[in-house]
């Protein structure tokens, strides 16, 4: 996945997050469903941001950004940059 694809995926997930919150507010889903889906979105977002940071770091130091790999969510979850 290149940088533009990662950024597009992040944007799509942020849009999904907004839709989930709106669905909860309008009563279309319950809070446990929202919580479960938001948890997965947050884990996926953490992985995407981590992959984007890896790619940028590799580019900055003259390495091939295509060698960056998504790491398990358990490794990047709640990362504070």
């Amino acid at each position: 996945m290149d940088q533009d694809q990662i950024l597009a995926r992040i944007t799509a997930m942020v849009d999904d997050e907004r839709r989930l919150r709106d669905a909860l507010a309008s009563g279309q889903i319950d809070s446990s469903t929202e919580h479960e889906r938001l948890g997965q979105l947050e884990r996926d977002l953490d992985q995407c941001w981590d992959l984007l940071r890896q790619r940028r770091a590799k580019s900055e130091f003259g390495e091939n950004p295509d060698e960056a790999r998504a790491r398990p969510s358990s490794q990047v979850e709640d990362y504070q940059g």
Side-chain angles (χ1 to χ4, degrees), residues 9 13 36 38-51 53-54 69-80:
R9 183 166 159 87
M13 285 189 281
E36 180 181 320
L38 280 178
Q40 184 60 52
L41 273 174
E42 289 169 357
R43 288 186 293 275
D44 292 346
L45 277 167
D46 286 345
Q47 285 180 296
C48 282
W49 282 118
D50 178 66
L51 182 57
R53 282 189 290 273
Q54 286 182 60
R69 297 288 175 252
R71 295 189 273 205
S73 61
S74 61
Q75 187 174 356
V76 300
E77 196 169 4
D78 300 322
Y79 176 81
Q80 301 293 315

Side-chain angles (χ1 to χ4, degrees), residues 5-79:
Q5 292 170 317
I6 296 168
L7 289 170
R9 183 166 159 87
I10 288 170
T11 299
M13 285 189 281
V14 169
D15 290 343
D16 287 346
E17 182 180 26
R18 284 190 195 115
R19 281 191 287 278
L20 278 172
R21 294 187 191 282
D22 290 345
L24 177 66
S26 67
Q28 295 173 346
I29 61 172
D30 61 27
S31 61
S32 64
T33 301
E34 183 229 18
H35 181 74
E36 180 181 320
R37 290 182 186 170
L38 280 178
Q40 184 60 52
L41 273 174
E42 289 169 357
R43 288 186 293 275
D44 292 346
L45 277 167
D46 286 345
Q47 285 180 296
C48 282
W49 282 118
D50 178 66
L51 182 57
L52 187 62
R53 282 189 290 273
Q54 286 182 60
R55 288 185 61 83
R56 288 177 174 171
K58 285 185 176 295
S59 290
E60 182 179 341
F61 291 100
E63 296 177 29
N64 183 353
D66 292 333
E67 293 176 357
R69 297 288 175 252
R71 295 189 273 205
S73 61
S74 61
Q75 187 174 356
V76 300
E77 196 169 4
D78 300 322
Y79 176 81

